């Protein structure tokens, strides 16, 4: 496989966001940022009060999303973001709020 200079491979970001992030428009805000960055995936409320964000796209775009999640400019309050990086699974379209 030939690697083209300047071409970024796709990655998958899974981020777990802890804080006051449910019932405050956080998933909607995350979706808007992800779409601006050209990412596909979802933001889902978890039973323990966290939001799980799954996003696929370029590494630079995914890192920009993580930076936005940690920016202090989100709805509610973010106390921590734990991230995991992996190979993209593919087959996603759009960005869903779940």
């Amino acid at each position: 496989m030939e690697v083209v200079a300047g071409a970024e491979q796709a990655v998958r970001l899974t981020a777990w966001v802890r804080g006051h992030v449910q019932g405050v428009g956080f998933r909607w805000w995350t979706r808007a940022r992800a779409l601006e960055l050209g990412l596909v995936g979802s933001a889902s409320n978890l039973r323990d009060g966290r939001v799980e964000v799954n996003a696929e796209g370029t590494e630079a775009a995914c890192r920009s999303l993580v930076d936005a999640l940690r920016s202090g400019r989100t709805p509610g309050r973010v106390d921590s973001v734990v991230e995991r990086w992996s190979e993209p699974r593919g087959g996603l379209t759009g960005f869903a709020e779940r």
Side-chain angles (χ1 to χ4, degrees):
M1 178 172 81
E2 183 179 337
V3 177
V4 178
E8 276 198 85
Q9 281 193 281
V11 297
R12 180 180 181 90
L13 163 70
T14 302
W16 294 274
V17 185
R18 183 177 302 281
H20 180 59
V21 291
Q22 291 190 8
V24 293
F26 184 85
R27 290 175 300 145
W28 176 89
W29 182 90
T30 301
R31 177 181 181 271
R33 300 298 76 76
L35 291 173
E36 289 170 357
L37 293 165
L39 298 171
V40 295
S42 63
S44 309
N45 283 338
L46 298 178
R47 292 174 64 159
D48 65 5
R50 295 177 300 162
V51 169
E52 180 179 279
V53 178
N54 289 292
E56 292 187 6
T58 66
E59 182 177 350
C62 286
R63 289 198 183 279
S64 292
L65 181 60
V66 170
D67 290 345
L69 296 174
R70 291 185 169 132
S71 70
R73 295 187 303 268
T74 66
R77 183 192 74 251
V78 172
D79 293 334
S80 67
V81 179
V82 175
E83 60 196 80
R84 180 178 69 198
W85 297 88
S86 57
E87 295 293 317
R89 295 182 188 166
L92 299 172
T93 57
F95 202 93
E97 295 172 56
R98 298 187 175 135

